[in-house]
């Protein structure tokens, strides 16, 4: 019965969003209410502990998740406000007129770079919004952005998920990083193929799509492997995405020889630089405050810090918000200063910030409830109940299902990092019992978590906000589920085959 009770919140959320097509905000409120009742009456969590657990989750939802989502949308709204989005649209179109090339460049290339540097929803929100501005349909833009935001999340936000996994399991970072890349190797070829097929599903386009996916995926794999094996977890997503962008642009030029010539740029180099000012500043700020520059990061982290304390089940949990290295702050500074460079006025840019908050009002409710219910599930023991039940039921076949546990963690929390915190130790512990390399099985948690990211309700909430499709969460979830299932199954087969 405890396993059934622990499963109910997930079942209810999937039924409401995926089958009954209830909007994300209403689904998440209902799921949160059910989870709180189950925590108190089925898992005997006290009312104060449950309430504090929700507050703890709400704090994590606000900082950094919602803060970053808001500023990612704001950065795009700044481009709309200054009309510099027209420059970017023309530039992307000037690289290639081919839809497969355009979509792959924006989601896998540019989106992967955003994930590698900032993470936390930017790689879904910004590419989806840009695709819509280029004339792609909103639902399509949301789905391809979600699918593309899978593999790069393993090393997203400058490698934080794998770094946290190494800390939780006390395993060496380099072997762990290398194992993650190897487990995702096949998917680095298949995900670009899925993206190009969705962009151009014609049968005669298949050879072109195969060429694109093999070349781009192969280069991403080689770059990520070398980076993970010789540098560590901080750079695979960044270096892999930069390499992919170069290859996509080169292939785009080759493919366009057979198609209509892309329109030439009518904007000057100064206008192009202005149009990119927002994203250039964001990327510079993120890199400078990343672990790549530990001295600067440490100095800024200690300047302005807010620490909140929560007492849950006799344990004191402290949550520190280091403002000067907060992704949301960096996105705001880059967007605001970039907006000024693009000709915007300070007052109008601040008014635009408030209108961005209003635009996200349903997303704010959705994400707070989703992270809140996952926090209540964790502290009441529901998540651990599900993980232990799965490991006990699978026995020697456990490696086949290990990625599923990681996917479950990301589905619930919306974060690869959080999934590793929840289940990293469990995976390493099971590895010792069944005689499997703990590096390999712990890496499976992250590999599976990247698949769960595709259908994470938080990611879907970000996508619907970026595409102005609030209320369509169920449709997007239904369309994305087959890709997520195939992703996790393939990962499980790879983990089991080489365990």
């Amino acid at each position: 019965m405890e396993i059934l009770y622990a499963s109910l919140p997930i079942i209810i959320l999937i039924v409401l969003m995926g089958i009954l097509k209830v909007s994300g905000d209403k689904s998440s409120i209902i799921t949160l209410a059910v989870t709180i009742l189950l925590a108190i009456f089925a898992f005997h969590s006290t009312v104060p502990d449950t309430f504090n657990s929700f507050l703890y989750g709400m704090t994590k939802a606000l900082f950094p998740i919602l803060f970053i989502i808001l500023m990612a949308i704001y950065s795009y709204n700044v481009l709309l406000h200054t009309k510099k989005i027209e420059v970017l649209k023309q530039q992307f179109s000037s690289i290639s007129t081919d839809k497969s090339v355009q979509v792959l460049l924006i989601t896998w290339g540019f989106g992967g770079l955003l994930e590698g540097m900032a993470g936390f929803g930017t790689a879904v929100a910004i590419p989806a919004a840009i695709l819509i501005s280029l004339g792609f349909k909103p639902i399509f833009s949301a789905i391809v952005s979600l699918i593309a935001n899978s593999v790069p999340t393993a090393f997203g936000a400058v490698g934080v998920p794998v770094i946290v996994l190494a800390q939780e399991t006390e395993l060496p970072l380099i072997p762990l990083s290398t194992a993650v890349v190897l487990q995702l190797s096949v998917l680095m070829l298949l995900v670009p193929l899925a993206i190009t097929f969705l962009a151009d599903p014609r049968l005669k386009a298949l050879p072109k799509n195969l060429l694109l996916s093999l070349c781009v995926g192969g280069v991403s794999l080689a770059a990520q492997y070398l980076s993970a094996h010789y540098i560590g977890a901080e750079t695979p997503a960044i270096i892999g995405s930069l390499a992919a962008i170069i290859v996509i642009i080169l292939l785009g030029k080759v493919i366009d020889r057979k198609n209509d010539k892309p329109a030439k740029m009518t904007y000057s180099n100064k206008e192009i630089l202005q149009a990119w000012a927002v994203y250039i500043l964001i990327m510079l700020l993120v890199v400078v405050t990343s672990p790549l520059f530990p001295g600067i990061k440490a100095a800024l982290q200690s300047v302005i810090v807010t620490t909140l304390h929560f007492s849950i089940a006799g344990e004191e949990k402290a949550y520190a918000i280091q403002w000067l290295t907060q992704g949301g702050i960096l996105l705001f500074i880059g967007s605001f200063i970039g907006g000024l460079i693009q000709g915007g006025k300070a007052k109008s840019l601040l008014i635009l910030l408030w209108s961005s908050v209003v635009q996200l009002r349903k997303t704010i409710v959705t994400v707070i409830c989703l992270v809140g219910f996952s926090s209540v599930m964790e502290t009441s023991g529901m998540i651990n109940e599900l993980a232990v039940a799965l490991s006990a039921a699978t026995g020697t076949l456990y490696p086949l299902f290990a990625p599923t546990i990681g996917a479950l963690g990301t589905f619930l929390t919306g974060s690869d990092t959080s999934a590793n915190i929840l289940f990293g130790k469990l995976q390493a512990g099971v590895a010792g019992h069944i005689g499997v390399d703990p590096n390999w099985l712990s890496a499976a948690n992250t590999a599976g978590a990247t698949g769960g990211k595709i259908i994470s309700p938080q990611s879907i909430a970000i996508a619907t906000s970026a595409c102005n499709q609030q209320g369509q969460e169920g449709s997007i979830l239904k369309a994305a589920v087959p890709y997520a299932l195939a992703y996790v199954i393939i990962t499980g087969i790879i983990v089991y085959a080489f365990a």
Side-chain angles (χ1 to χ4, degrees):
M1 288 304 294
E2 285 188 343
I3 296 170
L4 174 63
Y5 291 146
S7 306
L8 272 179
I10 302 169
I11 295 169
I12 289 169
L13 186 65
I14 292 172
V15 169
L16 289 172
M17 286 180 60
I19 299 174
L20 301 180
K21 303 292 178 65
V22 179
S23 64
D25 54 333
K26 292 176 182 177
S27 297
S28 59
I29 290 171
I30 294 169
T31 304
L32 173 64
V34 171
T35 306
I36 288 172
L37 291 173
L38 286 168
I40 294 170
F41 294 107
F43 288 86
H44 312 295
S45 181
T46 66
V47 173
D49 283 344
T50 305
F51 180 69
N52 286 338
S53 179
F54 169 72
L55 288 180
Y56 182 59
M58 184 177 74
T59 305
K60 290 194 292 184
L62 290 169
F63 307 100
I65 300 169
L66 277 168
F67 195 19
I68 288 177
I69 295 170
L70 169 62
M71 294 308 167
I73 299 298
Y74 176 61
S75 70
Y76 176 71
N77 287 343
V78 167
L79 288 171
L80 291 177
H81 175 72
T82 61
K83 295 183 171 55
K84 295 300 180 184
I85 189 66
E86 297 302 320
V87 182
L88 296 188
K89 283 166 63 176
Q90 191 181 99
Q91 189 168 30
F92 279 119
S93 298
S94 71
I95 291 169
S96 175
T97 58
D98 188 89
K99 288 184 178 181
S100 297
V101 173
Q102 289 179 344
V103 174
L104 198 60
L105 177 63
I106 294 167
T107 59
W108 181 264
F110 184 51
L113 190 60
L114 288 170
E115 180 64 37
M117 290 183 169
F120 292 101
T122 53
V124 173
I126 294 173
I130 291 175
L131 284 174
I132 290 172
S133 72
L134 287 172
F136 291 96
K137 292 180 180 179
I139 297 294
F140 166 84
S141 301
I143 291 168
V144 292
S145 297
L146 287 166
I147 293 170
N149 189 228
S150 51
V151 173
T153 60
F155 298 99
V158 202
V160 169
V162 179
I163 291 169
V164 166
L165 181 63
Q167 292 170 346
E168 289 289 315
T169 58
E170 299 180 355
L171 293 169
L173 186 60
I174 295 289
L176 201 56
S177 302
T178 307
V180 171
V181 175
L182 292 174
Q183 290 176 6
L184 293 174
S185 57
V186 174
L187 290 157
M188 286 192 204
L189 303 173
L190 293 179
V191 171
L193 181 60
I195 293 168
T196 54
F197 177 78
L198 285 170
D200 190 353
R202 297 173 303 162
L203 187 61
K204 69 176 184 178
L206 186 58
K208 172 201 67 179
N209 290 341
L210 281 170
L211 174 67
L212 272 169
S213 57
L214 287 173
C215 292
V216 173
V219 166
S220 299
L221 173 58
Q224 286 211 24
Y225 177 81
L226 292 171
S227 178
H229 189 68
Y230 292 105
I231 300 173
E234 292 86 357
T235 57
I238 297 171
I239 293 175
S241 297
L242 286 171
I245 288 170
I246 294 169
V247 172
I248 294 168
I249 291 173
L250 292 174
L251 287 173
K253 299 298 181 186
V254 173
I255 290 169
D256 277 327
R257 289 177 184 173
K258 301 176 182 179
N259 302 330
D260 296 330
K261 292 288 183 182
K264 291 185 177 180
M265 288 293 294
T266 58
Y267 295 100
S268 66
N269 290 334
K270 181 182 177 182
E271 288 173 311
I272 293 171
L273 193 61
Q274 282 181 324
W276 279 101
V278 168
Y279 296 131
I280 290 171
L281 287 170
I282 289 170
M283 288 180 183
L284 284 174
L285 289 168
V286 169
V287 170
V288 168
T289 57
S290 75
L292 298 174
F293 297 92
I296 297 174
K297 183 178 176 71
L300 291 174
Q301 281 180 331
S302 61
V303 177
I304 305 175
V305 182
T306 301
T307 304
L308 303 174
H309 297 274
F310 302 88
S311 178
I312 304 170
E315 180 185 350
E316 290 293 326
K317 291 192 175 185
Y319 192 80
I321 305 170
Q322 297 155 328
W323 292 101
L324 294 187
T325 55
Q326 267 284 320
I329 290 288
L330 303 179
L331 284 166
F332 171 72
I333 294 171
S335 302
F336 188 78
I337 296 175
L340 294 175
I341 292 171
Q342 291 172 352
K345 303 296 182 184
K347 183 179 178 181
S348 61
L349 290 173
L350 291 174
I351 292 172
L352 185 65
L353 178 61
W354 173 246
S355 66
S356 299
V357 174
V358 174
Q359 178 186 342
L360 289 177
R361 60 191 182 279
K362 288 186 177 180
T363 301
I364 291 169
V365 173
T366 302
V367 175
I368 285 175
C369 290
L370 289 173
V371 182
F373 102 77
S374 70
S375 180
V376 172
M377 284 188 73
E378 179 194 354
T379 54
S380 64
M382 292 188 214
I383 290 178
N384 189 62
E385 184 75 36
L386 291 174
V388 171
L390 181 59
S391 62
T394 54
T396 56
L397 291 175
Y398 180 81
L400 187 65
F401 298 95
T404 306
I405 292 179
L408 174 65
T410 312
F411 177 83
L412 291 170
T413 65
S415 165
D416 196 331
T417 303
S418 298
N420 286 339
I421 293 171
L422 285 175
F423 299 136
K425 286 182 179 177
L426 172 71
Q427 302 272 26
V430 174
H433 287 294
I434 63 175
V436 174
D437 179 5
N439 285 306
W440 187 252
L441 212 53
S442 299
N445 199 74
T446 288
T450 61
K453 188 80 171 176
I454 298 172
I455 54 170
S456 163
Q458 291 177 37
S459 294
I460 290 172
I462 295 167
T464 53
S465 300
C467 301
N468 198 25
Q469 295 291 302
Q470 288 92 339
Q472 294 297 313
E473 291 87 355
S475 299
I476 294 172
L477 174 64
K478 189 175 181 179
V481 161
Y483 295 96
L485 286 175
Y487 190 107
V488 175
I489 289 168
I490 291 167
T491 309
I493 292 169
I494 292 169
V495 171
Y496 179 72
F498 297 97

